[in-house]
Coordinates of all heavy atoms in Angstrom, one line a residue:
Chain C
F395 N 8.5 21.8 -19.3 CA 8.0 22.7 -18.3 C 6.5 22.8 -18.3 O 5.8 22.7 -17.3 CB 8.6 24.1 -18.5 CG 8.0 25.1 -17.6 CD1 8.4 25.1 -16.2 CD2 7.1 26.0 -18.0 CE1 7.8 26.1 -15.4 CE2 6.6 27.0 -17.2 CZ 6.9 27.0 -15.8
T396 N 5.9 23.0 -19.5 CA 4.5 23.1 -19.7 C 3.8 21.9 -19.1 O 2.8 22.0 -18.3 CB 4.1 23.2 -21.1 OG1 5.0 24.1 -21.8 CG2 2.7 23.7 -21.3
S397 N 4.2 20.7 -19.5 CA 3.5 19.5 -19.0 C 3.7 19.3 -17.5 O 2.8 18.9 -16.8 CB 4.0 18.2 -19.8 OG 5.4 18.1 -19.7
E398 N 4.9 19.6 -17.0 CA 5.1 19.5 -15.6 C 4.3 20.5 -14.8 O 3.7 20.2 -13.7 CB 6.6 19.6 -15.2 CG 7.4 18.3 -15.5 CD 8.8 18.5 -15.3 OE1 9.3 19.5 -14.8 OE2 9.6 17.5 -15.5
F399 N 4.1 21.6 -15.4 CA 3.3 22.7 -14.7 C 1.9 22.2 -14.6 O 1.2 22.4 -13.6 CB 3.4 24.0 -15.5 CG 2.8 25.1 -14.8 CD1 3.4 25.7 -13.8 CD2 1.6 25.6 -15.3 CE1 2.8 26.8 -13.1 CE2 0.9 26.7 -14.7 CZ 1.5 27.3 -13.6
L400 N 1.4 21.7 -15.7 CA 0.0 21.1 -15.7 C -0.1 20.0 -14.7 O -1.1 20.0 -13.9 CB -0.3 20.5 -17.1 CG -0.6 21.5 -18.2 CD1 -0.7 20.8 -19.5 CD2 -1.9 22.3 -17.9
L401 N 0.9 19.2 -14.6 CA 0.9 18.1 -13.6 C 0.8 18.7 -12.2 O 0.0 18.3 -11.3 CB 2.1 17.2 -13.7 CG 2.3 16.2 -12.6 CD1 1.2 15.2 -12.6 CD2 3.6 15.5 -12.8
F402 N 1.6 19.7 -11.9 CA 1.6 20.3 -10.6 C 0.3 20.9 -10.2 O -0.2 20.8 -9.1 CB 2.8 21.3 -10.4 CG 4.1 20.7 -10.1 CD1 5.2 20.9 -10.9 CD2 4.2 19.9 -9.0 CE1 6.4 20.3 -10.6 CE2 5.4 19.3 -8.7 CZ 6.5 19.5 -9.5
T403 N -0.3 21.6 -11.2 CA -1.6 22.2 -11.0 C -2.6 21.2 -10.6 O -3.3 21.3 -9.6 CB -2.0 23.0 -12.2 OG1 -1.0 23.7 -12.8 CG2 -3.2 23.9 -11.9
A404 N -2.6 20.1 -11.3 CA -3.5 19.0 -11.0 C -3.2 18.4 -9.6 O -4.2 18.1 -8.9 CB -3.4 17.9 -12.1
T405 N -1.9 18.2 -9.3 CA -1.6 17.6 -8.0 C -2.0 18.5 -6.9 O -2.5 18.1 -5.8 CB -0.1 17.4 -7.9 OG1 0.3 16.8 -9.1 CG2 0.2 16.4 -6.8
I406 N -1.8 19.9 -7.0 CA -2.2 20.8 -6.0 C -3.7 20.7 -5.7 O -4.2 20.8 -4.6 CB -1.7 22.2 -6.3 CG1 -0.2 22.3 -6.2 CG2 -2.4 23.2 -5.3 CD1 0.3 23.7 -6.3
K407 N -4.4 20.6 -6.9 CA -5.9 20.5 -6.7 C -6.3 19.3 -6.0 O -7.2 19.3 -5.1 CB -6.6 20.6 -8.1 CG -6.8 22.0 -8.5 CD -7.9 22.2 -9.6 CE -8.1 21.1 -10.6 NZ -8.8 21.7 -11.8
S408 N -5.8 18.1 -6.4 CA -6.3 16.8 -5.8 C -5.5 16.3 -4.7 O -6.1 15.7 -3.7 CB -6.3 15.8 -6.9 OG -6.4 16.3 -8.2
Y409 N -4.2 16.4 -4.7 CA -3.4 15.8 -3.6 C -2.3 16.7 -3.2 O -1.1 16.6 -3.5 CB -2.7 14.5 -4.1 CG -3.6 13.4 -4.6 CD1 -4.0 13.3 -6.0 CD2 -4.1 12.5 -3.7 CE1 -4.8 12.4 -6.4 CE2 -5.0 11.5 -4.2 CZ -5.3 11.5 -5.5 OH -6.2 10.5 -6.0
P410 N -2.7 17.8 -2.5 CA -1.7 18.9 -2.2 C -0.5 18.4 -1.4 O 0.6 18.9 -1.6 CB -2.5 19.9 -1.4 CG -3.8 19.3 -1.2 CD -4.0 18.1 -2.1
W411 N -0.7 17.3 -0.7 CA 0.4 16.9 0.2 C 1.5 16.1 -0.6 O 2.5 15.8 -0.1 CB -0.1 15.9 1.3 CG -1.0 14.9 0.8 CD1 -2.3 15.0 0.5 CD2 -0.7 13.5 0.5 NE1 -2.8 13.8 0.1 CE2 -1.8 12.9 0.1 CE3 0.5 12.8 0.6 CZ2 -1.9 11.5 -0.2 CZ3 0.5 11.4 0.3 CH2 -0.7 10.8 -0.2
L412 N 1.2 15.8 -1.9 CA 2.2 15.2 -2.7 C 3.1 16.2 -3.5 O 4.0 15.8 -4.1 CB 1.5 14.3 -3.7 CG 1.1 12.9 -3.2 CD1 0.3 12.1 -4.3 CD2 2.2 12.1 -2.7
V413 N 2.7 17.4 -3.4 CA 3.5 18.4 -4.2 C 4.9 18.6 -3.6 O 5.9 18.6 -4.4 CB 2.7 19.8 -4.3 CG1 3.6 20.8 -4.9 CG2 1.4 19.6 -5.0
P414 N 5.1 18.7 -2.3 CA 6.5 18.8 -1.8 C 7.4 17.7 -2.3 O 8.5 18.0 -2.8 CB 6.3 18.9 -0.3 CG 4.9 19.3 -0.1 CD 4.1 18.9 -1.2
P415 N 7.0 16.4 -2.1 CA 7.9 15.4 -2.6 C 8.2 15.5 -4.1 O 9.3 15.3 -4.6 CB 7.1 14.1 -2.4 CG 6.1 14.4 -1.4 CD 5.8 15.8 -1.5
L416 N 7.2 15.9 -4.9 CA 7.4 16.1 -6.3 C 8.5 17.2 -6.6 O 9.4 17.0 -7.4 CB 6.1 16.5 -7.0 CG 5.2 15.3 -7.5 CD1 4.0 15.9 -8.2 CD2 5.9 14.4 -8.4
L417 N 8.3 18.3 -5.9 CA 9.2 19.4 -6.1 C 10.6 19.0 -5.7 O 11.6 19.3 -6.4 CB 8.7 20.6 -5.3 CG 7.6 21.4 -5.9 CD1 7.1 22.5 -5.0 CD2 8.0 22.0 -7.2
V418 N 10.7 18.4 -4.5 CA 12.0 18.0 -4.0 C 12.7 17.0 -5.0 O 13.8 17.2 -5.3 CB 11.9 17.3 -2.6 CG1 13.2 16.6 -2.2 CG2 11.5 18.3 -1.6
G419 N 11.9 16.1 -5.5 CA 12.4 15.1 -6.5 C 12.9 15.8 -7.7 O 14.0 15.5 -8.3
L420 N 12.1 16.8 -8.2 CA 12.5 17.5 -9.4 C 13.8 18.3 -9.1 O 14.8 18.3 -10.0 CB 11.5 18.5 -9.8 CG 10.4 18.0 -10.8 CD1 9.5 19.1 -11.1 CD2 11.1 17.5 -12.0
A421 N 13.9 18.9 -7.9 CA 15.1 19.6 -7.6 C 16.3 18.7 -7.5 O 17.4 19.0 -8.0 CB 14.9 20.3 -6.3
I422 N 16.1 17.5 -6.9 CA 17.2 16.6 -6.8 C 17.7 16.2 -8.2 O 18.9 16.1 -8.5 CB 16.8 15.3 -6.0 CG1 16.6 15.7 -4.6 CG2 17.9 14.2 -6.1 CD1 16.1 14.6 -3.7

Side-chain angles (χ1 to χ4, degrees):
Chain C
F395 172 77
T396 317
S397 54
E398 282 178 3
F399 187 76
L400 286 170
L401 170 63
F402 276 121
T403 318
T405 317
I406 290 187
K407 271 202 325 199
S408 333
Y409 300 93
W411 49 278
L412 280 177
V413 174
L416 275 181
L417 283 173
V418 167
L420 270 183
I422 292 178

